[in-house]
């Protein structure tokens, strides 16, 4: 059996030499930059001091993990991470799909192109610039306040109010990413056999029915895979945007695990502690990924693996 | 046909690229030769001096090259200190070449230390920014204890013998020297921030300079009624670090000394009164609505456009900058005010005063091989000649001795190419940023171009803050392990409470007891007692 297996690989290698060669750089990349660094994660179980190195530092077990669980801010950063990510999935995930479907219905090619370009332009603006724009626009004299006043609101500093933070975060995220993310769905839409639409038309389906019974089922595999991948990153709220946008007045809703890791690890030079928090975060992510995949396999018959 | 076309175009493109490359080369060459010409002139000028002034030690014999890591250097013309006229001169005089690594991200040092690949010299604040302080950095083998090499630093040793108070500040609790400090050489250099108001607007409305908290309330209200959008503006960070306004209530935003004991400012009864007042002002629209998120540029815009009339800020980068920006408007004026007090005639208890040694100094890393050269290079700044060079630059070029007073030349103060004084000083001196040196008061006397700035320092330094602020004590590694997270959590919690009360989301009367209790529960006593023992050790140094 074992011999057989090696034999298969050997003959396969002989037959597909070039293919193996092509994948080699990728393999090397992953080993060098994805697997070897994992060794560094062991500092979460040690009291890391730079001069002693990773191997030489003293082993302390789960000390740093326990410290995090006992921390005053544990529940808060956990809750904020979940909330922000969940809201992102709830609002951010369907919008590119809806957008792609709607765009697909537009028959004017020129208009379609313009809309597509305009919507994915924000994807190319640097995050720092975007955060700067948001800060300026949300200030007391900013354009958002001008709009607010126009519609009968009162001027306030929007980014200082914890109630607004999540909305601003999610809305700007959608604005920045929806156009770009819709590309993959548009591509999937291209793959739907046009004869299906014709057949539906002959059966008397109107536009809405066609979307419901042809387009959506055609998109489902893509949607599910994207959703599983997205859920696998549920705890991965990027710290860059948070750090650029938050201030002490909004820590309460804005501080997430990754911004916490950045602060205690890189700013306060607490490397071991922050890797412990990071590992905890990764484990939760991984378990979510497994869960999502399992659920998907059970109910739709397909998943990532 | 088509193929030929493509070939033609690509050939053309290649030619264009080559040409532009050549052009680029030509330009840089020109620049270099220009620079070296200037350098040659400088060289001939200074060779005469070198012969007469330099002691036997400098320049050091042989080849010496050191790498020098700094956290911050921002000059529009020079990428690193190494390219400035100052360091070209330093290299010439000391015989030590320096190669600079400038990284300004807040996490840069953390990454540097974690990588273990250290440069020879590191400019850093080990007391406030390294967990466990300099002692931990020494124990972990990051930086070198200098005691065994102090014979190479006669100038610094001489200064420390004459100034035992500074000597105490720059040693660790165990008496180990670990850095070459930047020292503020005079009381007037230690104060550089405080409150200020628009002078012209006060006069127009027949108002006096506000002194008490009530005066401030009245003044700001008058301006609010005149339609000024946010009368009092500022970066919150400056209000916190100077303790303006809160100081009137005899407390601070951090730990301070109360009859020789360390107390935590934000839970003192005075802080509650301060919060009530400040929150009321905020609700009345007297304080900038954006106060939690303002940056320097936004404050500057408001202070120079009439949207705000008062701010807490620095003499140079705020007051000086705003006055310069409004130089064309003869009406525009700023007047420094004393730190606000509760009752007229009271002496302000809190204000801003930087310590003689703020913790920032240049240390030698354990990776350094040429220790003698490193010591000699750093010690040079404390020699008489080095002192003049680091504070005033090159004689005949950046300063002239006029009646025994080193006076910056027109080239520095009114640069013909229109560069501002700050830029020029950064290129020719060390005093505008951190380095191994003693800052000379005569630098500040000239850097403050406006009378208002000079007045400001004299008014702002009149506080009792020196008796209230904590010296730069260092916690031991064990103390840090226990206290660091407590401290950052307490600070964050107090910060949030402050903002919530300020914005009116929390009622201070109702929540105060709960707030104090929470802070106590978070381990305040542990933190304070750790600092008490550290203070004791400091006093026993």
């Amino acid at each position: 059996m074992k011999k057989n297996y090696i034999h298969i690989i050997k003959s396969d290698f002989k037959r597909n030499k070039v293919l193996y060669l092509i994948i080699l750089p990728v393999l090397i990349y992953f080993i060098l930059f994805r697997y070897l660094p994992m060794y560094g994660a062991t500092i979460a179980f040690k009291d890391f001091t730079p001069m002693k190195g990773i191997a030489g530092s003293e082993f302390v077990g789960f000390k740093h993990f326990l410290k995090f669980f006992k921390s005053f801010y544990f529940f808060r950063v956990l809750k904020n991470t979940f909330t922000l990510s969940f809201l992102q999935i709830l609002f951010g995930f369907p919008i590119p799909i809806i957008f792609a479907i709607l765009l697909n219905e537009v028959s004017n090619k020129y208009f379609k192109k313009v809309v597509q370009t305009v919507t994915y332009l924000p994807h190319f603006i640097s995050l720092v610039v975007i955060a700067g724009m948001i800060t300026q626009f949300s200030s007391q004299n900013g354009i958002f306040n001008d709009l607010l006043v126009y519609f009968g609101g009162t001027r306030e500093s929007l980014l200082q109010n914890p109630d607004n933070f999540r909305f601003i975060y999610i809305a700007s995220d959608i604005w920045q990413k929806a156009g770009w993310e819709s590309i993959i769905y548009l591509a999937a839409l291209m793959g739907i056999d046009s004869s299906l639409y014709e057949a539906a038309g002959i059966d008397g389906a109107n536009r809405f029915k066609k979307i419901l019974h042809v387009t959506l089922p055609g998109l489902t595999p893509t949607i599910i895979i994207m959703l599983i991948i997205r859920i696998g990153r549920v705890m991965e709220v990027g710290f860059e945007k948070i750090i650029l946008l938050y201030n002490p007045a909004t820590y309460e809703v804005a501080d997430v695990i990754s911004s916490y890791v950045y602060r205690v690890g890189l700013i306060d030079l607490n490397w071991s502690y922050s890797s412990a928090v990071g590992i905890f975060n990764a484990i939760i992510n991984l378990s979510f990924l497994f869960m999502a995949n399992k659920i998907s396999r059970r109910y739709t018959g397909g998943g990532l693996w | 046909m088509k193929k030929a076309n493509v070939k033609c175009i690509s050939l053309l493109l290649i030619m264009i690229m080559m040409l532009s490359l050549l052009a680029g080369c030509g330009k840089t060459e020109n620049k270099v030769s220009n620079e070296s010409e200037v350098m040659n002139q400088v060289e001939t000028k200074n060779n005469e001096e070198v012969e007469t002034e330099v002691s036997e030690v400098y320049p050091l014999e042989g080849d010496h090259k050191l790498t020098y890591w700094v956290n911050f250097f921002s000059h529009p013309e020079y990428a690193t200190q190494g390219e400035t006229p100052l360091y070209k001169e330093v290299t010439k005089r000391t015989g030590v070449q320096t190669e600079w690594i400038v990284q300004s991200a807040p996490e840069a040092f953390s990454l540097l230390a974690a990588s273990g690949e250290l440069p020879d010299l590191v400019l850093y604040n080990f007391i406030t920014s390294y967990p466990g302080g300099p002692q931990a950095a020494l124990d972990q083998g990051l930086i070198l204890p200098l005691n065994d090499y102090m014979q190479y630093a006669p100038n610094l040793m001489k200064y420390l013998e004459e100034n035992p108070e500074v000597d105490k500040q720059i040693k660790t609790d165990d008496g180990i020297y670990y850095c070459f400090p930047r020292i503020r050489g005079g009381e007037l250099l230690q104060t550089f921030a405080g409150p200020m108001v628009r002078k012209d607007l006060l006069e127009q409305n027949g108002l006096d300079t506000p002194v008490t908290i009530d005066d401030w309330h009245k003044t700001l209200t008058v301006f609010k009624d005149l339609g000024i959008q946010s009368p009092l503006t500022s970066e919150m960070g400056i209000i916190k670090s100077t303790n303006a306004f809160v100081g009137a209530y005899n407390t601070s935003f951090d730990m301070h000394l109360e009859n020789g004991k360390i107390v935590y400012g934000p839970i003192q009864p005075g802080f509650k009164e301060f919060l009530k007042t400040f929150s009321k002002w905020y609700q009345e629209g007297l304080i900038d609505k954006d106060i939690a998120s303002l940056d320097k540029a936004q404050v500057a815009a408001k202070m120079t456009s009439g949207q705000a009339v008062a701010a807490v800020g620095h003499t140079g980068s705020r007051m000086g900058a705003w006055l310069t920006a409004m130089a064309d408007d003869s009406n525009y004026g700023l007047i420094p005010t004393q730190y606000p007090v509760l009752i007229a005639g009271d002496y302000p208890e809190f204000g801003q005063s930087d310590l003689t040694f703020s913790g920032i100094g240049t240390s030698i890393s354990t990776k350094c091989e040429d220790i003698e050269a490193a010591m000699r290079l750093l010690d040079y700044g404390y020699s008489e000649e080095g002192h003049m060079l680091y504070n005033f630059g090159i004689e005949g070029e950046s300063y002239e001795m006029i009646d025994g007073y080193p006076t910056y030349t027109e080239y520095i103060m009114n640069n013909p190419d229109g560069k501002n004084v700050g830029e020029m000083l950064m290129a020719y001196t060390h005093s505008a940023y951190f380095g191994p040196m003693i800052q000379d008061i005569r630098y500040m006397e000239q850097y403050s171009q406006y009378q208002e700035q000079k007045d400001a320092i004299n008014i702002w330094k009149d506080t009792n803050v020196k008796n209230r602020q904590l010296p730069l004590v260092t916690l031991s590694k064990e103390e840090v392990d226990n206290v660091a997270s407590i401290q950052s959590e307490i600070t964050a919690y107090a910060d949030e409470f402050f903002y919530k009360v300020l914005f009116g989301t929390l009622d201070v009367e109702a929540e105060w007891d709960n707030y104090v209790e929470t802070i106590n529960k978070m381990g305040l006593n542990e933190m304070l007692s750790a600092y008490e023992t550290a203070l004791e050790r400091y006093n026993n140094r």
Side-chain angles (χ1 to χ4, degrees):
Chain A
M1 168 76 190
K2 210 177 180 188
K3 213 175 176 184
N4 206 0
Y5 188 64
I6 293 170
H7 181 75
I8 290 173
I9 287 189
K10 255 186 187 165
S11 65
D12 191 49
F13 182 74
K14 262 181 199 157
R15 232 179 300 145
N16 302 315
K17 255 186 205 152
V18 183
L19 282 182
Y20 278 97
L21 206 68
I22 288 172
I23 205 170
L24 196 66
V26 181
L27 218 61
I28 293 175
Y29 169 83
F30 270 91
I31 290 171
L32 271 183
F33 296 107
R34 289 285 182 268
Y35 287 95
L36 282 183
M38 279 188 189
Y39 160 65
T42 52
I43 67 169
F45 305 95
K46 296 176 169 193
D47 261 342
F48 175 66
T49 48
M51 290 305 119
K52 286 183 197 156
I54 296 171
S57 295
E58 196 189 336
F59 188 77
V60 293
F62 285 94
K63 175 178 145 192
H64 299 296
F65 289 90
L66 292 174
K67 196 168 148 199
F68 177 54
F69 298 149
K70 275 191 259 171
S71 157
F72 184 77
Y73 290 113
F74 173 67
F75 281 108
R76 186 163 92 178
V77 293
L78 200 65
K79 193 186 98 193
N80 284 338
T81 312
F82 268 121
T83 318
L84 269 186
S85 198
F86 179 69
L87 289 173
Q88 249 175 340
I89 294 176
L90 193 67
F91 295 105
F93 189 76
I95 283 182
I97 301 170
I98 296 168
F99 178 71
I101 292 174
L102 292 181
L103 201 64
N104 194 45
E105 295 297 314
V106 175
S107 46
N108 183 340
K109 262 198 177 149
Y110 181 70
F111 177 75
K112 210 165 154 179
K113 280 245 160 74
V114 170
V115 169
Q116 228 184 321
T117 313
V118 168
T119 48
Y120 69 61
L121 264 184
H123 171 80
F124 297 104
I125 307 175
S126 142
L127 196 57
V128 179
V129 176
I130 290 203
M133 282 162 64
I134 297 173
T135 322
Q136 290 291 337
F137 291 169
S138 317
S139 77
Q140 202 186 168
N141 302 322
I143 190 166
F144 293 158
N145 260 309
D146 293 345
L147 284 173
L148 209 66
V149 169
Y150 184 79
F151 289 110
T154 47
R155 267 183 205 285
E156 64 161 333
S157 194
L158 299 168
L159 266 180
Q160 272 171 206
N161 188 343
D163 299 342
N164 299 334
F165 183 85
R166 285 178 181 141
F167 176 77
I168 293 174
Y169 184 88
I170 303 288
S172 60
D173 226 46
I174 292 173
W175 171 74
Q176 196 191 356
K177 291 179 186 158
W180 182 257
E181 283 171 0
S182 68
I183 291 175
I184 191 160
Y185 300 112
L186 282 168
L189 284 171
M190 298 289 178
I192 297 175
D193 194 345
S194 58
S195 62
L196 290 174
Y197 286 103
E198 282 163 26
I202 290 164
D203 287 346
N206 59 19
R207 265 200 158 180
F208 182 71
K209 290 265 178 193
K210 276 186 198 165
I211 291 176
L212 206 63
H213 297 294
V214 181
T215 314
L216 267 182
L219 270 185
T220 309
T222 318
I223 293 177
I224 285 173
I225 287 176
M226 294 303 282
L227 190 64
I228 293 173
I229 294 176
R230 183 64 195 78
I231 286 173
R233 291 188 287 126
V234 73
M235 304 288 282
E236 226 175 80
V237 178
F239 71 94
E240 300 98 335
K241 196 167 158 194
I242 299 263
I243 282 176
L244 290 167
L245 287 182
Y246 76 177
N247 56 58
T250 50
Y251 275 177
E252 185 192 353
V253 293
D255 202 10
V256 295
I257 291 182
S258 54
S259 59
Y260 184 75
V261 168
Y262 171 78
R263 270 208 318 274
V264 296
L266 283 179
I267 305 290
D268 299 345
L269 291 88
N270 242 328
W271 302 287
S272 288
Y273 180 59
S274 83
S275 351
V277 179
I279 287 181
F280 167 76
N281 197 17
I283 289 171
I284 295 192
N285 262 336
L286 192 67
S287 47
F288 265 96
L289 185 67
F290 268 102
M291 238 152 52
N293 197 51
K294 208 162 202 174
I295 293 171
S296 154
R297 285 189 79 84
R298 176 165 303 167
Y299 292 105
T300 67
L304 271 181
W305 67 86
Chain B
M1 177 67 192
K2 229 181 179 177
K3 259 190 186 165
N5 255 340
V6 172
K7 254 189 191 166
C8 260
I9 288 172
S10 48
L11 238 154
L12 206 78
L13 277 174
I14 289 170
M15 271 168 71
I16 290 173
M17 269 167 67
M18 300 261 276
L19 274 175
S20 58
L21 269 176
L22 281 175
C25 285
K27 254 185 212 157
T28 42
E29 256 170 48
N30 265 336
K31 208 175 162 192
V32 169
S33 64
N34 269 342
E35 257 172 38
S36 59
E37 244 175 61
V38 174
M39 284 310 293
N40 279 337
Q41 284 169 10
V42 176
E43 233 164 277
T44 45
K45 213 179 288 168
N46 282 298
N47 276 343
E48 298 154 27
E49 281 171 50
V50 170
E51 271 164 35
T52 51
E53 280 178 21
V54 167
S55 62
E56 288 163 4
V57 185
Y58 300 107
L60 300 185
E61 277 174 28
D63 262 353
H64 302 282
K65 205 168 177 193
L66 298 169
T67 49
Y68 202 140
W69 186 91
V70 285
N71 188 238
F72 180 74
F73 181 77
S74 121
H75 193 283
E77 255 177 278
Y78 308 106
T80 68
Q81 280 93 325
E83 293 156 36
T84 59
L86 170 72
Y87 262 91
K88 285 185 174 158
E89 186 68 18
V90 173
T91 303
K92 193 143 33 83
R93 291 202 201 171
T94 59
V96 182
Q97 269 190 36
T98 41
E99 189 190 311
W100 296 73
I101 307 158
V102 182
Q103 292 172 333
S104 56
E107 69 273 13
F109 183 79
S110 180
L111 294 174
L112 180 84
S115 76
E117 280 161 31
L118 297 170
D120 298 318
L121 305 172
V122 180
L123 178 70
Y124 196 62
N125 191 334
F126 279 100
I127 299 187
T128 59
S129 309
Y130 197 78
Q135 192 61 56
L138 287 164
D139 292 344
Q140 292 166 10
L142 196 71
I143 54 175
L144 203 68
L146 305 180
N147 294 35
D148 295 345
Y149 304 98
M150 282 316 249
Q151 72 269 23
Y152 298 129
N155 297 308
L156 178 62
M157 288 307 277
K158 188 163 154 260
Y159 175 83
L160 293 178
E161 262 162 45
E162 288 160 8
N163 298 274
E165 195 47 43
V166 178
D167 184 56
K168 197 168 151 182
Q169 288 176 22
I170 73 159
K171 277 192 290 204
T172 67
D173 290 332
D174 297 343
I176 294 170
Y177 294 105
Y178 65 94
C179 80
F180 285 79
R182 199 283 299 267
I183 294 163
R184 294 196 181 274
E187 201 192 2
L188 285 178
L189 287 164
Q190 288 170 255
T191 299
F192 44 77
M196 60 190 95
V197 190
R198 277 285 293 278
K199 185 183 172 199
D200 50 324
L201 291 177
L202 282 180
E203 279 166 6
Q204 268 174 38
N205 296 291
L207 293 163
D208 292 329
T209 315
V211 174
T212 65
I213 290 287
D214 284 339
D215 291 347
W216 273 91
H217 185 238
K218 240 176 275 164
T219 311
L220 295 175
T221 310
V222 169
F223 285 124
K224 184 76 196 178
D225 293 343
L226 285 171
I228 282 165
Q229 198 186 32
S230 20
L232 175 64
T233 191
S234 259
E235 292 107 297
M236 204 55 219
I238 301 182
I239 295 187
K240 278 186 190 158
S241 62
T242 58
N243 292 315
F245 301 104
V246 71
Y249 296 89
N250 204 12
T251 185
S252 74
F253 271 101
D254 205 342
M255 286 179 279
H256 64 255
L257 294 175
E258 188 93 52
N259 305 321
K261 286 289 259 182
I262 301 175
V263 297
Y264 187 60
I267 57 162
Q268 302 307 308
F271 201 85
K272 187 177 165 188
E273 298 307 311
F274 160 72
L275 269 177
K276 277 194 227 165
T277 311
F278 229 49
S279 169
K280 192 175 127 226
W281 289 8
Y282 188 86
Q283 307 312 327
E284 290 172 356
L286 307 181
I287 298 174
D288 198 318
K289 290 277 179 215
D290 296 327
I291 193 130
S293 50
L294 287 174
D295 63 20
K296 187 178 163 188
Q298 286 171 311
V299 173
K302 291 184 189 205
M303 281 303 283
T304 51
S305 68
Q307 285 177 49
V309 290
V312 186
H314 297 87
T315 20
S317 56
R318 308 296 190 282
M319 186 180 250
W322 301 339
L323 285 169
T324 307
M326 300 302 283
D328 292 340
D329 184 351
S330 57
N331 286 325
Y332 188 89
L334 285 168
I335 191 170
T337 76
Q338 72 163 80
Y339 274 93
V341 291
L342 220 46
I343 302 159
D346 273 0
Y347 192 65
E349 279 295 308
F350 288 88
Q352 181 267 330
S353 170
D354 200 21
L355 296 160
T356 315
F357 168 56
S358 59
I360 302 189
T362 308
S363 299
I364 301 176
S365 87
T366 45
K367 293 279 160 76
C368 179
E369 279 165 8
D370 198 349
I371 296 170
E372 185 184 344
M375 294 291 288
R376 295 276 188 206
L377 170 72
L378 297 175
D379 188 55
Y380 179 73
Y382 308 91
S383 70
E384 230 163 89
E385 188 197 307
H387 181 81
M388 292 307 281
L389 178 64
Y390 283 177
N391 275 292
F392 305 105
I394 302 158
E395 188 166 5
E397 205 177 331
S398 64
Y399 79 99
E400 302 277 7
M401 270 301 196
I402 298 176
D403 300 330
Y405 189 92
T407 315
Y408 291 124
T409 55
E410 280 294 294
Y411 182 60
I412 299 288
M413 298 306 285
N414 282 307
N415 187 271
D417 299 332
K419 294 171 200 160
N420 70 45
V421 185
E423 261 171 58
M424 291 307 294
L425 285 179
M426 227 172 170
Y428 276 92
T429 74
H430 229 317
S431 30
Y433 53 94
F434 296 96
M437 66 173 297
I438 302 154
Q439 238 184 355
D440 195 311
I441 184 73
R442 291 171 294 185
Y443 139 79
M444 188 46 87
E445 283 169 355
Q446 297 173 74
Y447 184 32
S448 293
Q449 288 165 278
Y450 302 98
Q451 188 56 41
E452 290 94 323
Q453 291 174 290
K454 290 170 192 166
D455 295 345
I457 295 175
N458 279 311
I459 291 172
W460 293 340
K461 78 172 171 49
D462 256 344
T463 67
N464 195 25
V465 68
K466 287 210 163 132
N467 298 319
R468 306 302 297 263
Q469 72 190 148
L470 236 56
L472 271 181
V473 300
T474 48
L475 300 179
S476 69
K477 182 74 181 123
E478 293 76 49
E479 284 165 343
V480 168
D481 271 351
N482 294 331
V483 161
S485 55
I486 297 180
Q487 191 170 2
S488 66
E489 282 175 5
I490 287 182
T491 313
Y493 179 72
D495 230 20
E496 268 182 55
F497 184 77
F498 169 77
Y499 281 113
K500 281 184 181 163
V501 172
L502 184 67
F503 300 151
T505 32
L506 276 188
D507 177 29
V508 65
E509 282 295 352
E511 297 289 335
W512 181 260
D513 292 338
N514 188 13
Y515 158 74
V516 174
E517 200 191 309
T518 310
I519 286 193
N520 280 322
K521 255 196 254 159
M522 288 169 112
L524 181 70
N525 282 332
E526 233 174 294
M527 172 176 121
L528 291 181
S529 65
Y531 273 94
E532 285 283 359
T533 40
L535 182 64
E536 222 166 273
R537 281 199 307 268
Y538 176 86
N539 290 332
N540 291 334
R541 273 182 199 174

